[in-house]
Amino acid sequence: MFLATASVTKWRPRKLSNREAGLAPEAGRRAQEARRRSHWHSRSVGLSVPGQDGEAAAPGPPLPGVRDSSPGRHGPAGDGSAGLQLPAGRFADSHELSELVYSASNLLVLLNDGILRKELRKKLPVSLSQQKLLTWLSVLECVEVFMEMGAAKVWGEVGRWLVIALIQLAKAVLRMFLLIWFKAGLQTSPPIVPLDRETQARPPDGEHSSQEQSYVGKRSNRVVRTLQNTPSLHSRHWGAPQQQERRQQQHQEELCITPTPLGLQETIAESLYIARPLLHLLSLGLWGQRSWKPWLLSGVVDVTSLSLLSDRKGLTRRERLELRRRTILLLYYLLRSPFYDRFSEARILFLLQLLADHVPGIGLVTKPLMDYLPAWQKIYFYSWG
């Protein structure tokens, strides 16, 4: 009887609070409608309305699929930091796995190049012993980063530096053998020239000369391949015959040309370049990683080596590219500690954040780069290798 009487009691809207009064008219009407439905439902079942009868609603269990914003579930601030730890822990080995895949792919390319050279009977213009040294040097360059990461994961910081020292010592010994014993000249990177698969996959041009394979227009001087010498569809290229011949000739020269003999000055410069990683590691052991002396010593050795090699004339195209690569790599000193920690880190991150905020679409590149740059800088073979 009481429930029936209470169910028809006239409901009077209460006075809006200051917080509700500041809402828009539409929002106020929605709030009143919600309180009206809650009032009639609670009166019909004999319950009290939280917030109207002075009673506080007890926090019930969270609904399925609804995020609980209580501080006890997501840390003191309720920002969801505890929930973000699960994906981070799940992918904690992402750097090691990605480097493993990258190293394995480089090793497969090196192995595949060796098999193709053997089948095509196109050996490197070096002796068998020198070819073995070049192969071992290429293998070390392929796996050095992964070995550093694996050693740090398994044996800690001491094991990491031990593996770094052993790899750098092995690379220096192999390069000194190539320089002094085999007279290999300027050491290039990578040590073995990758095989040009597009050039090797095409059959030889035959015994016809280039004049018989193409026709030059009298007025336009355009080179056109004749129909009689058109290759099959799977081996056809869509460039001019002269471009294809020039590319093939350039690749053959890079494979067959002998390295430029080095004099005493160039040999000393190349020896300094080879010994630079060992000098840097030795100076790190003497003065520590926070000292400026290893950074300065390594920079002086690199600049001295480049200045002694800059006067050399008659270098091959690959050797000139190697000198250009070493010159560009001098910019890495901006990303090497302690210069990076004290000067360039804040400026580089500020520049990347500025580009991400003001240039549309550039944040897709700069923000992952900002996240990856600290991890990249901590890997020795990334910044100093």
Side-chain angles (χ1 to χ4, degrees):
M1 185 64 183
F2 172 76
L3 292 178
T5 304
S7 62
V8 296
T9 303
K10 184 177 181 181
W11 179 80
R12 297 178 180 179
R14 69 178 182 87
K15 185 179 180 181
L16 295 178
S17 62
N18 294 332
R19 181 179 179 183
E20 294 174 342
L23 299 177
E26 182 66 24
R29 286 194 297 269
R30 292 178 181 176
Q32 289 183 358
E33 186 66 24
R35 290 186 177 275
R36 183 183 303 171
R37 289 195 300 266
S38 175
H39 172 80
W40 287 113
H41 177 71
S42 60
R43 291 292 185 180
S44 61
V45 297
L47 298 177
S48 60
V49 181
Q52 291 202 16
D53 297 334
E55 299 179 5
L63 297 177
V66 179
R67 176 184 173 186
D68 185 10
S69 59
S70 59
R73 295 179 183 268
H74 296 281
D79 56 351
S81 58
L84 294 176
Q85 291 177 1
L86 292 177
R90 182 178 180 183
F91 300 101
D93 299 333
S94 59
H95 293 295
E96 289 81 1
L97 292 177
S98 62
E99 191 59 39
L100 174 61
V101 173
Y102 181 74
S103 301
S105 64
N106 289 336
L107 290 176
L108 288 177
V109 170
L110 182 64
L111 178 62
N112 193 16
D113 284 351
I115 296 175
L116 289 178
R117 284 192 179 95
K118 186 181 297 184
E119 292 296 328
L120 296 172
R121 294 183 176 86
K122 293 187 177 182
K123 298 180 180 180
L124 296 174
V126 295
S127 62
L128 183 59
S129 302
Q130 184 176 351
Q131 185 175 350
K132 290 182 178 180
L133 293 181
L134 291 173
T135 303
W136 279 110
L137 188 58
S138 301
V139 170
L140 286 177
E141 289 188 355
C142 290
V143 302
E144 58 186 7
V145 177
F146 175 70
M147 293 183 67
E148 177 187 353
M149 291 182 174
K153 195 77 174 179
V154 177
W155 298 309
E157 197 68 14
V158 177
R160 169 176 171 262
W161 284 107
L162 180 60
V163 170
I164 291 173
L166 291 177
I167 292 177
Q168 293 288 33
L169 180 61
K171 290 169 60 176
V173 170
L174 292 177
R175 286 174 174 168
M176 290 302 294
F177 264 106
L178 292 172
L179 177 65
I180 304 300
W181 186 264
F182 292 100
K183 306 295 181 183
L186 201 65
Q187 304 289 317
T188 58
S189 181
I192 298 179
V193 182
L195 193 64
D196 190 356
R197 288 168 170 76
E198 294 183 0
T199 304
Q200 301 299 331
R202 297 189 181 95
D205 295 334
E207 300 177 356
H208 302 283
S209 60
S210 59
Q211 288 79 10
E212 297 175 348
Q213 293 181 0
S214 59
Y215 170 77
V216 181
K218 295 181 180 181
R219 289 181 298 178
S220 63
N221 292 327
R222 178 176 295 179
V223 181
V224 181
R225 186 178 294 103
T226 61
L227 295 177
Q228 290 80 5
N229 296 284
T230 301
S232 58
L233 184 61
H234 71 277
S235 61
R236 185 179 304 174
H237 69 91
W238 303 104
Q242 291 181 351
Q243 297 177 359
Q244 178 67 13
E245 292 172 3
R246 191 182 304 113
R247 191 183 302 114
Q248 291 181 356
Q249 182 180 3
Q250 179 181 351
H251 183 72
Q252 292 297 330
E253 289 178 356
E254 291 181 356
L255 288 179
C256 301
I257 196 170
T258 57
T260 304
L262 301 181
L264 179 60
Q265 177 179 334
E266 291 80 11
T267 304
I268 294 175
E270 190 65 17
S271 301
L272 288 175
Y273 174 76
I274 294 173
R276 193 268 306 166
L278 297 180
L279 295 176
H280 179 254
L281 288 175
L282 182 60
S283 60
L284 282 179
L286 292 176
W287 295 303
Q289 301 183 37
R290 297 180 178 271
S291 176
W292 283 92
K293 295 179 181 178
W295 187 85
L296 292 173
L297 177 63
S298 179
V300 169
V301 171
D302 276 339
V303 173
T304 303
S305 175
L306 285 174
S307 61
L308 292 177
L309 288 171
S310 60
D311 299 333
R312 179 65 181 178
K313 305 297 181 181
L315 296 176
T316 62
R317 177 178 175 272
R318 192 179 180 216
E319 291 171 344
R320 291 195 301 270
L321 291 177
E322 175 63 22
L323 288 181
R324 188 182 307 172
R325 186 189 71 89
R326 295 182 186 181
T327 304
I328 296 175
L329 286 182
L330 291 178
L331 296 175
Y332 271 39
Y333 280 93
L334 301 177
L335 302 176
R336 293 169 177 173
S337 299
F339 188 89
Y340 174 81
D341 301 330
R342 302 185 184 183
F343 296 101
S344 58
E345 180 181 11
R347 291 170 174 82
I348 291 175
L349 294 180
F350 173 76
L351 178 61
L352 294 177
Q353 186 64 42
L354 188 67
L355 292 175
D357 294 340
H358 294 84
V359 181
I362 200 66
L364 298 175
V365 178
T366 57
K367 289 183 178 179
L369 185 60
M370 292 171 61
D371 296 336
Y372 187 70
L373 187 59
W376 180 92
Q377 202 270 339
K378 293 179 181 179
I379 303 299
Y380 178 86
F381 283 112
Y382 278 158
S383 57
W384 288 98

